[in-house]
Amino acid sequence: MGSKRQAVVVTHSRLRESGTVVSEAVEQLRACGFEVSIIDNVEAPEFGVQPPVVSDDTEIVVVLGGDGTILRAAELVHCTQVPILGVNLGHVGFLAEFESFQMEEAIRRIATHDYSIDERMIAHVDVWLPGHSTPIEDWALNDITLERADRGKMVELSIRVDDVETSSFGADGVIVSTPTGSTAYGFSAGGPIIWPNVKALQLVPLAAHALFARPLVIGAESTFTLDILDDSMSDGWICCDGRRQRALPKGTRVEVRASRDTLRLARLSGVPFTERLVSKFDLPVVGWREHARANHADVRTHHGHVFPASADPAGVVGDPPASPDEEGEA
């Protein structure tokens, strides 16, 4: 008789204590022949320290929680071939594949290998402290933030791409994100959304004290180099995926490039990223002009009185004609 299939469930203690969803998922996995181990409240490791990972014979890591829990689980499979499947019990759950009410279907698909693998690019970071001859290495699935350590001052940064200086400014900091992270912190700071199949890194300045500090997007073969200037008003602070972090003194150099490793997400076949984007962000696919036209079609008003669309009073049918100067404006 062969050994049992191995699955790891990653969640957090609040979910285990507040309901039955975690215990039900574990029971269903065991009923499908899996030997299940549970990991919750994964503490953030120190910056530059690789935490223990799941064993090589693990077939899949099932994440019950939100995107933050998936980022914790990513540390458990870093540099392995073990895939992650997310079941969203959080808010947006952009990285998750299933919602909580689909738990039974999710486990059935795991048991029958009815899923595909989506390989996500991750970023590698080298931190060169002043006077050190070797870097501290870390990585990120979502983003790497380099921010001011002193809340009341700016951090002065030099930005280079492939060793060519592109800009220099004081700022609250910068975000370097992967395509996966482009819908997270970078998006909130005004960066573009990058589709996951695009091999690129983006840099988004945070409140830069400069006229032309705009987001940059570079290819996967290029490298961002961020120098904290010696005369910076503040030291720096680096954080990977909102978890692994440390202080950086003035004179530190940070290099970010695409990693050779990837993260493997278990996905349904044929669910496009665009569909996920529209549904998770509830995008307004109908513009305000279309809403206005629809409202005008239903109801007209004249001197404070409401008329059905079929009884338009003279002179108030729809909008007035656009003047020549207004034609074509958004």
Side-chain angles (χ1 to χ4, degrees):
M1 186 175 179
S3 60
K4 281 194 172 184
R5 299 163 72 181
Q6 303 291 321
V8 173
V9 171
V10 177
T11 184
H12 47 83
S13 58
R14 181 173 52 82
L15 275 175
R16 295 183 69 179
E17 295 162 0
S18 62
T20 61
V21 64
V22 175
S23 59
E24 288 171 357
V26 171
E27 287 173 12
Q28 290 177 37
L29 282 165
R30 286 174 175 156
C32 290
F34 284 94
E35 194 168 89
V36 183
S37 53
I38 304 173
I39 300 175
D40 61 11
N41 288 340
V42 180
E43 294 295 326
E46 291 183 28
F47 186 91
V49 175
Q50 173 63 51
V53 296
V54 297
S55 62
D56 289 337
D57 61 352
T58 304
E59 182 177 321
I60 196 161
V61 171
V62 181
V63 183
L64 307 178
D67 285 347
T69 313
I70 290 180
L71 292 175
R72 293 200 292 274
E75 294 171 349
L76 299 172
V77 300
H78 183 51
C79 295
T80 75
Q81 294 298 304
V82 180
I84 287 176
L85 185 136
V87 179
N88 181 38
L89 304 177
H91 298 290
V92 177
F94 209 98
L95 291 171
E97 183 64 14
F98 291 90
E99 300 298 324
S100 57
F101 63 85
Q102 299 171 301
M103 184 75 73
E104 191 173 334
E105 180 191 355
I107 292 173
R108 178 185 63 79
R109 285 177 175 262
I110 292 169
T112 58
H113 296 104
D114 185 13
Y115 56 84
S116 58
I117 296 296
D118 178 9
E119 294 205 13
R120 291 296 182 96
M121 172 183 170
I122 60 177
H124 177 89
V125 58
D126 288 319
V127 173
W128 299 84
L129 297 174
H132 287 65
S133 58
T134 56
I136 305 169
E137 299 181 34
D138 213 295
W139 60 280
L141 171 62
N142 260 8
D143 46 47
I144 296 154
T145 59
L146 174 54
E147 300 179 72
R148 55 186 179 170
D150 187 330
R151 297 293 93 184
K153 298 177 181 177
M154 290 187 294
V155 59
E156 302 278 346
L157 300 172
S158 166
I159 312 296
R160 287 184 290 161
V161 176
D162 297 336
D163 220 24
V164 176
E165 186 163 14
T166 60
S167 57
S168 181
F169 48 70
D172 286 356
V174 295
I175 306 162
V176 179
S177 77
T178 65
T180 298
S182 70
T183 54
Y185 194 1
F187 173 76
S188 299
I193 292 174
I194 303 176
W195 263 239
N197 60 341
V198 177
K199 305 303 181 188
L201 291 170
Q202 72 168 358
L203 181 146
V204 182
L206 296 171
H209 198 245
L211 286 177
F212 301 107
R214 294 290 182 264
L216 298 175
V217 178
I218 61 174
E221 302 302 317
S222 292
T223 300
F224 281 121
T225 301
L226 319 173
D227 285 291
I228 303 175
L229 301 183
D230 291 330
D231 58 355
S232 174
M233 290 184 285
S234 170
D235 288 337
W237 187 268
I238 194 169
C239 184
C240 292
D241 284 341
R243 290 182 52 74
R244 304 171 304 279
Q245 51 192 306
R246 66 162 292 149
L248 301 180
K250 298 167 189 175
T252 297
R253 172 167 296 171
V254 176
E255 295 180 348
V256 185
R257 65 178 188 273
S259 173
R260 291 186 296 269
D261 299 305
T262 59
L263 183 95
R264 293 161 61 85
L265 289 177
R267 289 293 192 210
L268 296 179
S269 299
V271 180
F273 173 77
T274 310
E275 185 175 312
R276 185 183 305 274
L277 187 72
V278 171
S279 63
K280 292 290 185 180
F281 282 167
D282 193 20
L283 294 184
V285 293
V286 177
W288 64 269
R289 287 183 180 271
E290 292 174 86
H291 278 301
R293 292 191 193 102
N295 289 338
H296 276 298
D298 292 336
V299 173
R300 306 296 186 195
T301 61
H302 185 54
H303 298 307
H305 298 287
V306 178
F307 294 85
S310 58
D312 280 314
V316 291
V317 180
D319 296 322
S323 69
D325 291 339
E326 294 172 331
E327 289 290 350
E329 291 186 2

